[in-house]
Amino acid sequence: MIHADTNAKRFTLHTDHTSYAMAVDGQGRLLHLGYGPRADCFRLPDAPHNDPGCHPDLLPQEWPAPGMGDNHMPFFQPEFADGVIAADLRFAGAAVEPGKYGLPGLPAFRDCPGAETLRITLQDTMGLRVTLLYGVLPDCDLITRAAVIENTGTAPLTLRGVPSAVLDFARHDLDLITFDGAWAGERTLHRAAVRPGVQSVGSVGGIPTHAHNPFVVLCSPDAGENAGQCWGAALVYSGNYRIQAESAAAGIRLSMGIEPFRFAWTLAPGESFAAPEAAFVYSGQGFGAMSRRFHQAIRSHLIPPRWADMAAPRPVLLNSWEACYFNFDEDRLLELARAARQAHADLFVLDDGWFRGRNADNSSLGDWAADPVKLPGGVAGLCRKINDLGLAFGIWVEPEAVSPNSDLYRAHPDWALQIPGRPTLEIRNQYVLDFSRKEVRQGIWQQLCALLDSCPVRYLKWDMNRSLANVYSAALPAARQGEVYHRYVLGVYEMQQQLTRRYPDLLLENCAGGGARFDCGMLYYSPQIWTSDNTDALDRQSIQYGTSFCYPPCVMGAHYSTVPNHTTGRTASVEARMAAALSGTFGFELDLTAYTPQQIRQLHPFVQFYRDHGALLRGGELYRLLPPDGHGAAWAVAAPDGSEAVVFAAGRVLDGRCLTLPFAAAGRHYTARALYTGGGSEAAFAGEELQLLGLPLPQVRGDLPGYLCWLKAD
Ligand code: GLA
């Protein structure tokens, strides 16, 4: 619920359990009063805000602007035609609307019953208007922010930095949690106290990259999984970004938005610019509750409605990559598909290597037609044969990439991002197409449509295997080169939007060299993202643990793979590998043709487990029970009313200890059915027992043992 007192100029956003409050001071400045547990009364800050002589640096401002005495590192940087970079923004009006706002050309959390929007307009006398957008999704405790900047003057205006949101905390004692890593080690959690000055994460690689995720948490120093105050902040954006915490005199300021480096967006009079959305959840009960609210919001109101909640089961797929890499022909694929069918998979995904001349990673990207040697009947011919085996068909593409050795590049060398007169940089032997240009997108779009129209393709893996470099667009004049990075992202969004419109039943999975573009922006178009190229069951614990702080299990691409693992060389039990894969979208990625019928039969109960409990695994609430410590971890997915749950554990935690289950309902009786390769076991427990004493884990030794158990209340 939004409470707007337009006389007193006070505005409060209420979700079911949280409140966010603002007020306009005597000078017309929009001040932030607080964001925390649900409350009706927020005090104006102690600073003498009505005193014209007061130091503006001490004021908590909703939209700080440079040149007006706020000495934090300025994120918002409007440059007027006369060279002035400053803005004197005063309150000009506010309106509450039913429903959640949308943003043109940009992903954003969707409208839903009970959602509302608050628009607050700030005006500068020199011809600049800022409309702050606040969205409230009450049942998810989600508050979103975005901003639209308009040139209301008579001369051009250049935006050199636009935050999506700025949030002031009137305290210095907060920890900042970020999710960082590298290829095969994405989104590892790092936590440290915010120290004086600026700490930031971000990207200048054109995509978020493996290094940092566009999601952070600020929390009280005592905050943990089940207690303490925390504020999660996600950016709904897939390009260059910055999220920064600045600790200065009055407290800590969190700012987030498009990275200002190489950003310059010129607005002619009357034009406007929409900043991407930022989304926040506050929890007073620690990280677990915060994550569960983000998960609910993402699976119900961000991913395409076709795949929302439990609406549509996701197919059990087998992906050909770790089985074949580039080395296959049609017979080999059909042999693999037959084995996939024997393992009870639903869908066969043909990964990289299927198009003209693609036998290694050094050619053919951009030529999206079948290799006649590998696939004599084309993609359609293979698809028909796969379908005849009783499997649906899916395929891999990398639409934004072009190989120097490709017909596309030979025909359109200018389509690649490149700086005139300088050598163009190859990364993974490829260039990046200039997706800021319409004709480039159209060229790729036509090829994609030809592929998708040629046969019933049910799944598309959209990969992006490098960051952007040589960023310069042949289509824009020198003065507008600062728009290229953002226009590129808008181009990717436009094509993925077209895809979801034209092929509403197509299951789109995003990917970027594993998880280098795992963000809320991409989730608006694809209900799942490949989490990491590392499928090792132990490493997946920390990768999926970090990922789960913002993103729900049902969006994390997770596959059961072989041992020794191709990335780490490590061995893990079937149960541990299944626990990792079943905690995501579940599929196979291994050479099942090397398995005996008996070994394949051993996998059946796990596939059946996924089918039986898929709705719970997709739509249930995640509990991180024992965080990964490099040796093991335990977690569970439970129905909101505690009536059933799946408990997972793997590694050294399987030492006979008892695992307390906070979601177990007192007064109910549970049957616990554990699943092993050799069979299973069954035991009965009272809800109180599970809550207080815990579920006894077995004592298992060996290479990364694993444990899966379904709990059902009477
Ligand atoms: C990336 C993906 C992999 C695979 C390869 C193919 O690394 O993350 O899953 O598709 O590309 O080249």
Side-chain angles (χ1 to χ4, degrees), residues 606-633:
F606 296 96
V607 179
Q608 194 54 43
F609 189 86
Y610 180 70
R611 295 203 201 288
D612 292 344
H613 311 305
L616 173 64
L617 291 171
R618 278 196 310 282
E621 304 206 305
L622 179 73
Y623 287 81
R624 295 176 290 249
L625 301 172
L626 296 173
D629 63 357
H631 302 292

PDB file of all heavy atoms in Angstrom, residues 606-633:
ATOM      1  N   PHE A 606      15.983 -41.058  -9.514  1.00  0.00           N
ATOM      2  CA  PHE A 606      16.249 -39.625  -9.315  1.00  0.00           C
ATOM      3  C   PHE A 606      15.432 -38.795 -10.303  1.00  0.00           C
ATOM      4  O   PHE A 606      14.923 -37.731  -9.970  1.00  0.00           O
ATOM      5  CB  PHE A 606      17.748 -39.347  -9.461  1.00  0.00           C
ATOM      6  CG  PHE A 606      18.568 -40.019  -8.398  1.00  0.00           C
ATOM      7  CD1 PHE A 606      19.172 -41.245  -8.622  1.00  0.00           C
ATOM      8  CD2 PHE A 606      18.693 -39.430  -7.147  1.00  0.00           C
ATOM      9  CE1 PHE A 606      19.911 -41.867  -7.630  1.00  0.00           C
ATOM     10  CE2 PHE A 606      19.426 -40.046  -6.140  1.00  0.00           C
ATOM     11  CZ  PHE A 606      20.035 -41.278  -6.374  1.00  0.00           C
ATOM     12  N   VAL A 607      15.336 -39.290 -11.537  1.00  0.00           N
ATOM     13  CA  VAL A 607      14.514 -38.573 -12.522  1.00  0.00           C
ATOM     14  C   VAL A 607      13.053 -38.598 -12.050  1.00  0.00           C
ATOM     15  O   VAL A 607      12.338 -37.587 -12.116  1.00  0.00           O
ATOM     16  CB  VAL A 607      14.658 -39.199 -13.928  1.00  0.00           C
ATOM     17  CG1 VAL A 607      13.782 -38.471 -14.934  1.00  0.00           C
ATOM     18  CG2 VAL A 607      16.113 -39.178 -14.375  1.00  0.00           C
ATOM     19  N   GLN A 608      12.646 -39.755 -11.548  1.00  0.00           N
ATOM     20  CA  GLN A 608      11.280 -39.874 -11.055  1.00  0.00           C
ATOM     21  C   GLN A 608      11.057 -38.932  -9.864  1.00  0.00           C
ATOM     22  O   GLN A 608      10.007 -38.302  -9.750  1.00  0.00           O
ATOM     23  CB  GLN A 608      10.997 -41.332 -10.632  1.00  0.00           C
ATOM     24  CG  GLN A 608       9.519 -41.632 -10.425  1.00  0.00           C
ATOM     25  CD  GLN A 608       8.668 -41.268 -11.652  1.00  0.00           C
ATOM     26  OE1 GLN A 608       9.044 -41.545 -12.787  1.00  0.00           O
ATOM     27  NE2 GLN A 608       7.529 -40.616 -11.416  1.00  0.00           N
ATOM     28  N   PHE A 609      12.064 -38.822  -9.014  1.00  0.00           N
ATOM     29  CA  PHE A 609      12.023 -37.921  -7.854  1.00  0.00           C
ATOM     30  C   PHE A 609      11.764 -36.489  -8.328  1.00  0.00           C
ATOM     31  O   PHE A 609      10.946 -35.757  -7.779  1.00  0.00           O
ATOM     32  CB  PHE A 609      13.383 -38.018  -7.140  1.00  0.00           C
ATOM     33  CG  PHE A 609      13.461 -37.323  -5.817  1.00  0.00           C
ATOM     34  CD1 PHE A 609      13.058 -37.956  -4.646  1.00  0.00           C
ATOM     35  CD2 PHE A 609      13.980 -36.034  -5.717  1.00  0.00           C
ATOM     36  CE1 PHE A 609      13.165 -37.322  -3.414  1.00  0.00           C
ATOM     37  CE2 PHE A 609      14.083 -35.402  -4.498  1.00  0.00           C
ATOM     38  CZ  PHE A 609      13.681 -36.037  -3.333  1.00  0.00           C
ATOM     39  N   TYR A 610      12.454 -36.099  -9.409  1.00  0.00           N
ATOM     40  CA  TYR A 610      12.286 -34.753  -9.966  1.00  0.00           C
ATOM     41  C   TYR A 610      10.869 -34.569 -10.514  1.00  0.00           C
ATOM     42  O   TYR A 610      10.232 -33.535 -10.326  1.00  0.00           O
ATOM     43  CB  TYR A 610      13.311 -34.516 -11.067  1.00  0.00           C
ATOM     44  CG  TYR A 610      13.208 -33.159 -11.702  1.00  0.00           C
ATOM     45  CD1 TYR A 610      13.562 -32.009 -10.999  1.00  0.00           C
ATOM     46  CD2 TYR A 610      12.747 -33.014 -13.005  1.00  0.00           C
ATOM     47  CE1 TYR A 610      13.466 -30.759 -11.578  1.00  0.00           C
ATOM     48  CE2 TYR A 610      12.659 -31.757 -13.593  1.00  0.00           C
ATOM     49  CZ  TYR A 610      13.019 -30.640 -12.873  1.00  0.00           C
ATOM     50  OH  TYR A 610      12.917 -29.403 -13.447  1.00  0.00           O
ATOM     51  N   ARG A 611      10.374 -35.616 -11.181  1.00  0.00           N
ATOM     52  CA  ARG A 611       9.016 -35.496 -11.733  1.00  0.00           C
ATOM     53  C   ARG A 611       7.992 -35.429 -10.600  1.00  0.00           C
ATOM     54  O   ARG A 611       7.048 -34.652 -10.632  1.00  0.00           O
ATOM     55  CB  ARG A 611       8.698 -36.696 -12.628  1.00  0.00           C
ATOM     56  CG  ARG A 611       9.557 -36.753 -13.860  1.00  0.00           C
ATOM     57  CD  ARG A 611       8.872 -37.561 -14.964  1.00  0.00           C
ATOM     58  NE  ARG A 611       9.843 -38.035 -15.922  1.00  0.00           N
ATOM     59  CZ  ARG A 611      10.459 -37.253 -16.805  1.00  0.00           C
ATOM     60  NH1 ARG A 611      10.186 -35.977 -16.859  1.00  0.00           N
ATOM     61  NH2 ARG A 611      11.338 -37.765 -17.647  1.00  0.00           N
ATOM     62  N   ASP A 612       8.183 -36.274  -9.574  1.00  0.00           N
ATOM     63  CA  ASP A 612       7.219 -36.312  -8.472  1.00  0.00           C
ATOM     64  C   ASP A 612       7.221 -35.008  -7.667  1.00  0.00           C
ATOM     65  O   ASP A 612       6.189 -34.577  -7.180  1.00  0.00           O
ATOM     66  CB  ASP A 612       7.553 -37.471  -7.517  1.00  0.00           C
ATOM     67  CG  ASP A 612       7.312 -38.826  -8.168  1.00  0.00           C
ATOM     68  OD1 ASP A 612       6.616 -38.861  -9.204  1.00  0.00           O
ATOM     69  OD2 ASP A 612       7.831 -39.841  -7.648  1.00  0.00           O
ATOM     70  N   HIS A 613       8.419 -34.435  -7.479  1.00  0.00           N
ATOM     71  CA  HIS A 613       8.528 -33.287  -6.578  1.00  0.00           C
ATOM     72  C   HIS A 613       8.933 -32.010  -7.311  1.00  0.00           C
ATOM     73  O   HIS A 613       9.360 -31.041  -6.678  1.00  0.00           O
ATOM     74  CB  HIS A 613       9.529 -33.592  -5.460  1.00  0.00           C
ATOM     75  CG  HIS A 613       9.276 -34.913  -4.801  1.00  0.00           C
ATOM     76  ND1 HIS A 613       8.051 -35.228  -4.246  1.00  0.00           N
ATOM     77  CD2 HIS A 613      10.054 -36.005  -4.650  1.00  0.00           C
ATOM     78  CE1 HIS A 613       8.100 -36.461  -3.769  1.00  0.00           C
ATOM     79  NE2 HIS A 613       9.290 -36.963  -4.000  1.00  0.00           N
ATOM     80  N   GLY A 614       8.788 -32.018  -8.641  1.00  0.00           N
ATOM     81  CA  GLY A 614       9.220 -30.868  -9.443  1.00  0.00           C
ATOM     82  C   GLY A 614       8.521 -29.580  -9.034  1.00  0.00           C
ATOM     83  O   GLY A 614       9.149 -28.522  -8.934  1.00  0.00           O
ATOM     84  N   ALA A 615       7.216 -29.654  -8.769  1.00  0.00           N
ATOM     85  CA  ALA A 615       6.484 -28.438  -8.409  1.00  0.00           C
ATOM     86  C   ALA A 615       7.020 -27.878  -7.100  1.00  0.00           C
ATOM     87  O   ALA A 615       7.207 -26.662  -6.951  1.00  0.00           O
ATOM     88  CB  ALA A 615       4.990 -28.738  -8.305  1.00  0.00           C
ATOM     89  N   LEU A 616       7.292 -28.758  -6.148  1.00  0.00           N
ATOM     90  CA  LEU A 616       7.844 -28.315  -4.859  1.00  0.00           C
ATOM     91  C   LEU A 616       9.247 -27.733  -5.068  1.00  0.00           C
ATOM     92  O   LEU A 616       9.566 -26.658  -4.538  1.00  0.00           O
ATOM     93  CB  LEU A 616       7.902 -29.517  -3.902  1.00  0.00           C
ATOM     94  CG  LEU A 616       8.597 -29.292  -2.555  1.00  0.00           C
ATOM     95  CD1 LEU A 616       7.836 -28.275  -1.723  1.00  0.00           C
ATOM     96  CD2 LEU A 616       8.710 -30.609  -1.790  1.00  0.00           C
ATOM     97  N   LEU A 617      10.067 -28.416  -5.865  1.00  0.00           N
ATOM     98  CA  LEU A 617      11.441 -27.941  -6.078  1.00  0.00           C
ATOM     99  C   LEU A 617      11.448 -26.592  -6.790  1.00  0.00           C
ATOM    100  O   LEU A 617      12.267 -25.734  -6.510  1.00  0.00           O
ATOM    101  CB  LEU A 617      12.243 -28.971  -6.886  1.00  0.00           C
ATOM    102  CG  LEU A 617      12.553 -30.274  -6.148  1.00  0.00           C
ATOM    103  CD1 LEU A 617      13.144 -31.319  -7.097  1.00  0.00           C
ATOM    104  CD2 LEU A 617      13.509 -30.026  -4.991  1.00  0.00           C
ATOM    105  N   ARG A 618      10.514 -26.397  -7.708  1.00  0.00           N
ATOM    106  CA  ARG A 618      10.467 -25.125  -8.449  1.00  0.00           C
ATOM    107  C   ARG A 618       9.855 -24.004  -7.623  1.00  0.00           C
ATOM    108  O   ARG A 618      10.305 -22.877  -7.660  1.00  0.00           O
ATOM    109  CB  ARG A 618       9.633 -25.273  -9.723  1.00  0.00           C
ATOM    110  CG  ARG A 618      10.336 -25.861 -10.897  1.00  0.00           C
ATOM    111  CD  ARG A 618       9.553 -25.592 -12.186  1.00  0.00           C
ATOM    112  NE  ARG A 618       8.150 -25.953 -12.096  1.00  0.00           N
ATOM    113  CZ  ARG A 618       7.684 -27.194 -12.180  1.00  0.00           C
ATOM    114  NH1 ARG A 618       8.517 -28.184 -12.361  1.00  0.00           N
ATOM    115  NH2 ARG A 618       6.398 -27.441 -12.092  1.00  0.00           N
ATOM    116  N   GLY A 619       8.787 -24.337  -6.891  1.00  0.00           N
ATOM    117  CA  GLY A 619       8.014 -23.264  -6.252  1.00  0.00           C
ATOM    118  C   GLY A 619       8.166 -23.190  -4.749  1.00  0.00           C
ATOM    119  O   GLY A 619       7.637 -22.281  -4.120  1.00  0.00           O
ATOM    120  N   GLY A 620       8.903 -24.128  -4.145  1.00  0.00           N
ATOM    121  CA  GLY A 620       9.039 -24.145  -2.690  1.00  0.00           C
ATOM    122  C   GLY A 620       9.998 -23.073  -2.184  1.00  0.00           C
ATOM    123  O   GLY A 620      10.589 -22.326  -2.959  1.00  0.00           O
ATOM    124  N   GLU A 621      10.145 -23.025  -0.862  1.00  0.00           N
ATOM    125  CA  GLU A 621      10.987 -22.000  -0.244  1.00  0.00           C
ATOM    126  C   GLU A 621      12.327 -22.609   0.156  1.00  0.00           C
ATOM    127  O   GLU A 621      12.378 -23.675   0.771  1.00  0.00           O
ATOM    128  CB  GLU A 621      10.284 -21.441   0.985  1.00  0.00           C
ATOM    129  CG  GLU A 621       8.903 -20.901   0.645  1.00  0.00           C
ATOM    130  CD  GLU A 621       8.453 -19.824   1.611  1.00  0.00           C
ATOM    131  OE1 GLU A 621       8.452 -20.098   2.816  1.00  0.00           O
ATOM    132  OE2 GLU A 621       8.128 -18.724   1.134  1.00  0.00           O
ATOM    133  N   LEU A 622      13.390 -21.918  -0.186  1.00  0.00           N
ATOM    134  CA  LEU A 622      14.736 -22.448   0.051  1.00  0.00           C
ATOM    135  C   LEU A 622      15.210 -22.126   1.474  1.00  0.00           C
ATOM    136  O   LEU A 622      15.085 -20.982   1.933  1.00  0.00           O
ATOM    137  CB  LEU A 622      15.708 -21.828  -0.957  1.00  0.00           C
ATOM    138  CG  LEU A 622      17.161 -22.284  -0.818  1.00  0.00           C
ATOM    139  CD1 LEU A 622      17.334 -23.720  -1.315  1.00  0.00           C
ATOM    140  CD2 LEU A 622      18.106 -21.357  -1.576  1.00  0.00           C
ATOM    141  N   TYR A 623      15.748 -23.130   2.146  1.00  0.00           N
ATOM    142  CA  TYR A 623      16.396 -22.946   3.452  1.00  0.00           C
ATOM    143  C   TYR A 623      17.842 -23.391   3.331  1.00  0.00           C
ATOM    144  O   TYR A 623      18.110 -24.553   3.022  1.00  0.00           O
ATOM    145  CB  TYR A 623      15.675 -23.769   4.538  1.00  0.00           C
ATOM    146  CG  TYR A 623      14.344 -23.176   4.899  1.00  0.00           C
ATOM    147  CD1 TYR A 623      13.216 -23.415   4.113  1.00  0.00           C
ATOM    148  CD2 TYR A 623      14.218 -22.333   5.994  1.00  0.00           C
ATOM    149  CE1 TYR A 623      11.999 -22.840   4.423  1.00  0.00           C
ATOM    150  CE2 TYR A 623      13.003 -21.746   6.318  1.00  0.00           C
ATOM    151  CZ  TYR A 623      11.896 -22.004   5.521  1.00  0.00           C
ATOM    152  OH  TYR A 623      10.689 -21.420   5.824  1.00  0.00           O
ATOM    153  N   ARG A 624      18.757 -22.461   3.567  1.00  0.00           N
ATOM    154  CA  ARG A 624      20.190 -22.813   3.547  1.00  0.00           C
ATOM    155  C   ARG A 624      20.551 -23.276   4.954  1.00  0.00           C
ATOM    156  O   ARG A 624      20.712 -22.457   5.860  1.00  0.00           O
ATOM    157  CB  ARG A 624      20.999 -21.596   3.108  1.00  0.00           C
ATOM    158  CG  ARG A 624      20.699 -21.175   1.659  1.00  0.00           C
ATOM    159  CD  ARG A 624      21.441 -19.920   1.263  1.00  0.00           C
ATOM    160  NE  ARG A 624      20.935 -18.746   1.937  1.00  0.00           N
ATOM    161  CZ  ARG A 624      20.266 -17.741   1.346  1.00  0.00           C
ATOM    162  NH1 ARG A 624      20.034 -17.769   0.050  1.00  0.00           N
ATOM    163  NH2 ARG A 624      19.852 -16.710   2.058  1.00  0.00           N
ATOM    164  N   LEU A 625      20.625 -24.580   5.152  1.00  0.00           N
ATOM    165  CA  LEU A 625      20.725 -25.128   6.510  1.00  0.00           C
ATOM    166  C   LEU A 625      22.160 -25.129   7.025  1.00  0.00           C
ATOM    167  O   LEU A 625      22.421 -24.704   8.142  1.00  0.00           O
ATOM    168  CB  LEU A 625      20.129 -26.539   6.530  1.00  0.00           C
ATOM    169  CG  LEU A 625      18.656 -26.611   6.089  1.00  0.00           C
ATOM    170  CD1 LEU A 625      18.209 -28.061   5.944  1.00  0.00           C
ATOM    171  CD2 LEU A 625      17.761 -25.874   7.081  1.00  0.00           C
ATOM    172  N   LEU A 626      23.087 -25.615   6.239  1.00  0.00           N
ATOM    173  CA  LEU A 626      24.511 -25.562   6.601  1.00  0.00           C
ATOM    174  C   LEU A 626      25.239 -24.956   5.420  1.00  0.00           C
ATOM    175  O   LEU A 626      25.286 -25.553   4.340  1.00  0.00           O
ATOM    176  CB  LEU A 626      25.061 -26.972   6.869  1.00  0.00           C
ATOM    177  CG  LEU A 626      24.472 -27.754   8.047  1.00  0.00           C
ATOM    178  CD1 LEU A 626      25.011 -29.178   8.054  1.00  0.00           C
ATOM    179  CD2 LEU A 626      24.798 -27.058   9.366  1.00  0.00           C
ATOM    180  N   PRO A 627      25.802 -23.760   5.576  1.00  0.00           N
ATOM    181  CA  PRO A 627      26.451 -23.123   4.423  1.00  0.00           C
ATOM    182  C   PRO A 627      27.672 -23.925   3.981  1.00  0.00           C
ATOM    183  O   PRO A 627      28.295 -24.600   4.801  1.00  0.00           O
ATOM    184  CB  PRO A 627      26.862 -21.746   4.954  1.00  0.00           C
ATOM    185  CG  PRO A 627      26.821 -21.852   6.428  1.00  0.00           C
ATOM    186  CD  PRO A 627      25.871 -22.945   6.786  1.00  0.00           C
ATOM    187  N   PRO A 628      28.024 -23.866   2.698  1.00  0.00           N
ATOM    188  CA  PRO A 628      29.173 -24.638   2.227  1.00  0.00           C
ATOM    189  C   PRO A 628      30.462 -24.162   2.895  1.00  0.00           C
ATOM    190  O   PRO A 628      30.679 -22.962   3.035  1.00  0.00           O
ATOM    191  CB  PRO A 628      29.200 -24.353   0.721  1.00  0.00           C
ATOM    192  CG  PRO A 628      28.370 -23.140   0.525  1.00  0.00           C
ATOM    193  CD  PRO A 628      27.400 -23.066   1.648  1.00  0.00           C
ATOM    194  N   ASP A 629      31.288 -25.099   3.329  1.00  0.00           N
ATOM    195  CA  ASP A 629      32.562 -24.734   3.965  1.00  0.00           C
ATOM    196  C   ASP A 629      33.744 -25.312   3.192  1.00  0.00           C
ATOM    197  O   ASP A 629      34.834 -25.449   3.724  1.00  0.00           O
ATOM    198  CB  ASP A 629      32.585 -25.242   5.413  1.00  0.00           C
ATOM    199  CG  ASP A 629      32.504 -26.767   5.462  1.00  0.00           C
ATOM    200  OD1 ASP A 629      32.382 -27.396   4.392  1.00  0.00           O
ATOM    201  OD2 ASP A 629      32.581 -27.326   6.571  1.00  0.00           O
ATOM    202  N   GLY A 630      33.494 -25.677   1.939  1.00  0.00           N
ATOM    203  CA  GLY A 630      34.568 -26.272   1.142  1.00  0.00           C
ATOM    204  C   GLY A 630      34.595 -27.783   1.248  1.00  0.00           C
ATOM    205  O   GLY A 630      35.303 -28.448   0.499  1.00  0.00           O
ATOM    206  N   HIS A 631      33.833 -28.317   2.185  1.00  0.00           N
ATOM    207  CA  HIS A 631      33.794 -29.774   2.358  1.00  0.00           C
ATOM    208  C   HIS A 631      32.384 -30.330   2.245  1.00  0.00           C
ATOM    209  O   HIS A 631      32.199 -31.514   2.022  1.00  0.00           O
ATOM    210  CB  HIS A 631      34.371 -30.166   3.718  1.00  0.00           C
ATOM    211  CG  HIS A 631      35.765 -29.693   3.910  1.00  0.00           C
ATOM    212  ND1 HIS A 631      36.825 -30.205   3.194  1.00  0.00           N
ATOM    213  CD2 HIS A 631      36.277 -28.737   4.711  1.00  0.00           C
ATOM    214  CE1 HIS A 631      37.935 -29.582   3.561  1.00  0.00           C
ATOM    215  NE2 HIS A 631      37.633 -28.687   4.474  1.00  0.00           N
ATOM    216  N   GLY A 632      31.390 -29.488   2.455  1.00  0.00           N
ATOM    217  CA  GLY A 632      30.026 -29.986   2.400  1.00  0.00           C
ATOM    218  C   GLY A 632      29.028 -28.888   2.730  1.00  0.00           C
ATOM    219  O   GLY A 632      29.411 -27.762   3.087  1.00  0.00           O
ATOM    220  N   ALA A 633      27.745 -29.212   2.597  1.00  0.00           N
ATOM    221  CA  ALA A 633      26.682 -28.242   2.867  1.00  0.00           C
ATOM    222  C   ALA A 633      25.357 -28.994   2.961  1.00  0.00           C
ATOM    223  O   ALA A 633      25.262 -30.158   2.561  1.00  0.00           O
ATOM    224  CB  ALA A 633      26.605 -27.206   1.740  1.00  0.00           C
TER     225      ALA A 633
END
